């Protein structure tokens, strides 16, 4: 059978840039198809309604709702509307664990993957232009990739696809409930302990960026005060990216890069030695 996966992208976080691509990296899987609807940069209710209506019309076996701050009215309304339509939902969002509403979500029957290192950007007009935005997201994608946070997200979503292929549906699906910490991200990703340590450090730095940007964007007045704060947060993300580059180069040097491609039937195979076939 072909599993239908719906993806609702509301606003932007780095996880949303790659989520459906991680499930079919060579665009040759025959066991699944994805349909993505997006609200663009906005999280307004009318934009979200447009996304949800298109996703419901697609009739996916399950849906992924990816957004920043998943407890806001837009993302909350999206997952509730999809649930009302009988569609199981996995929420992917950044770290909002300090909010009471997130505790309510964790008690619900929604699946969730909370990416603690997918930190908010330094969105101050005096600092953030399109180039700075793109550069920051590029660094963040590198961190989430090399640390293993993206691989763990991909494997969790593949597990839901496998359940559908096995005949499960609706409320019978076991949806992921993951808070992506540094330890979870880097687990089984590295063969060299120094590479492991660098990647773990990168994750911790990237996760810390969020509160620095919260301070700069929401808690500090005067551009002469908040611009240095958000600029420092972006420098932190760049430092995390460099640590990830160093970690991957170490793994290349000992021929230990873990590769886990999909076969066209969705099976995940693996290898480490570069000149070898995955099994």
């Amino acid at each position: 059978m072909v599993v239908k996966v719906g993806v609702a992208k509301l606003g932007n976080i780095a996880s949303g840039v790659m989520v459906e691509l991680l499930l079919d990296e060579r665009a040759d899987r025959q066991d699944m198809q994805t349909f993505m609807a997006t609200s663009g940069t906005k999280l307004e209710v009318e934009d979200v309604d447009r996304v949800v209506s298109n996703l419901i019309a697609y009739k996916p076996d399950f849906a992924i709702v990816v957004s920043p701050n998943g407890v806001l009215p837009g993302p909350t309304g999206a997952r509730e509307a999809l649930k009302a339509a009988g569609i199981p939902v996995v929420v992917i969002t950044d770290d909002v664990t300090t909010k009471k509403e997130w505790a309510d979500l964790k008690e619900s029957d929604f699946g969730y993957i909370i990416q603690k290192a997918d930190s908010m950007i330094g969105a101050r007009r005096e600092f953030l232009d399109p180039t700075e935005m793109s550069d920051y997201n590029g660094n963040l994608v590198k961190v989430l990739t090399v640390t293993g946070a993206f691989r763990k997200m991909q494997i969790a979503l593949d597990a839901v696809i496998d359940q559908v292929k096995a005949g499960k549906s609706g409320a019978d699906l076991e949806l992921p409930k993951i808070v992506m910490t540094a330890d979870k991200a880097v687990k089984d990703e590295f063969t060299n302990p120094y590479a492991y340590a660098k990647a773990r450090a990168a994750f911790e730095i990237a996760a810390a960026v969020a509160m620095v940007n919260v301070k700069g964007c929401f808690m500090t007045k005067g551009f002469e005060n908040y611009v240095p704060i958000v600029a420092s947060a972006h420098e932190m993300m760049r430092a995390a990216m460099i640590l990830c580059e160093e970690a991957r180069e170490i793994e290349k040097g000992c021929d230990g890069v873990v590769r886990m491609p999909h076969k066209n039937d969705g099976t995940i195979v693996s290898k480490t030695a570069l000149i070898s076939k995955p099994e």
Side-chain angles (χ1 to χ4, degrees):
M1 67 175 297
V2 177
V3 179
K4 298 172 69 175
V5 182
V7 182
K9 292 187 183 181
L10 311 175
N12 180 70
I13 57 173
S15 296
V17 175
M18 301 299 293
V19 60
E20 80 277 12
L21 304 180
L22 294 169
L23 298 174
D24 192 12
E25 69 278 6
R26 289 182 297 115
D28 70 343
R29 283 184 69 168
Q30 299 173 2
D31 64 322
M32 61 155 288
Q33 61 179 209
T34 57
F35 173 79
M36 187 270 288
T38 178
S39 66
T41 60
K42 302 293 193 296
L43 283 171
E44 301 300 327
V45 173
E46 56 269 25
D47 297 309
V48 172
D49 289 345
R50 169 172 47 84
V51 169
V52 170
S53 61
N54 278 280
L55 217 58
I56 291 174
Y58 176 63
K59 298 181 180 179
D61 292 294
F62 73 97
I64 301 163
V65 177
V66 55
S67 74
N69 201 346
V71 300
L72 290 174
T76 299
R79 62 176 173 266
E80 292 290 351
L82 290 166
K83 178 183 177 181
I87 301 169
V89 176
V90 178
V91 176
I92 299 175
T93 189
D94 52 2
D95 189 3
V96 292
T97 53
T98 57
K99 294 183 179 292
K100 175 184 178 298
E101 296 90 339
W102 184 246
D104 296 336
L105 176 60
K106 292 169 79 172
E107 295 296 324
S108 74
D109 54 3
F110 292 108
Y112 58 84
I113 302 172
I114 181 166
Q115 291 282 17
K116 293 179 75 68
D118 201 340
S119 292
M120 71 166 286
I121 199 165
R124 284 292 198 173
R125 182 172 289 107
E126 296 86 351
F127 173 68
L128 193 73
D129 73 338
T131 299
E132 185 69 37
M133 177 277 300
S134 182
D135 181 60
Y136 176 87
N137 277 284
N139 291 338
L140 180 47
V141 166
K142 174 72 76 172
V143 171
L144 295 171
T145 298
V146 175
T147 59
F150 272 171
R151 195 196 312 272
K152 304 309 190 300
M153 180 174 74
Q154 166 248 309
I155 289 172
L157 296 172
D158 268 324
V160 182
I161 294 170
D162 288 343
Q163 290 178 61
V164 177
K165 289 164 64 175
K168 288 188 176 182
S169 63
D172 293 331
L173 291 175
E174 295 181 21
L175 302 177
K177 295 182 181 293
I178 299 171
V179 177
M180 194 70 68
T181 61
D183 291 333
K184 289 179 182 178
V186 302
K187 181 178 172 58
D188 299 325
E189 291 292 326
F190 300 94
T191 59
N192 183 284
Y194 286 101
Y196 176 97
K198 284 177 178 287
R200 196 185 183 289
F203 189 102
E204 296 284 14
I205 293 169
V209 166
M211 289 312 298
V212 178
N213 275 328
V214 166
K215 180 179 179 180
C217 290
F218 304 119
M219 301 169 65
T220 307
K221 296 181 179 180
F223 73 89
E224 69 279 9
N225 298 317
Y226 58 66
V227 167
I229 294 173
V230 294
S232 72
H234 281 226
E235 291 299 321
M236 289 170 66
M237 191 61 74
R238 178 176 177 273
M241 179 276 293
I242 291 171
L243 282 168
C244 284
E245 290 278 16
E246 292 172 352
R248 191 163 175 87
E249 290 305 307
I250 290 172
E251 291 291 287
K252 289 179 184 178
C254 60
D255 199 14
V257 174
V258 177
R259 301 181 191 275
M260 298 177 64
H262 292 94
K263 296 173 70 173
N264 61 12
D265 66 354
T267 302
I268 299 173
V269 289
S270 66
K271 56 176 277 186
T272 50
L274 179 60
I275 310 303
S276 67
K277 286 185 174 293
E279 298 178 354

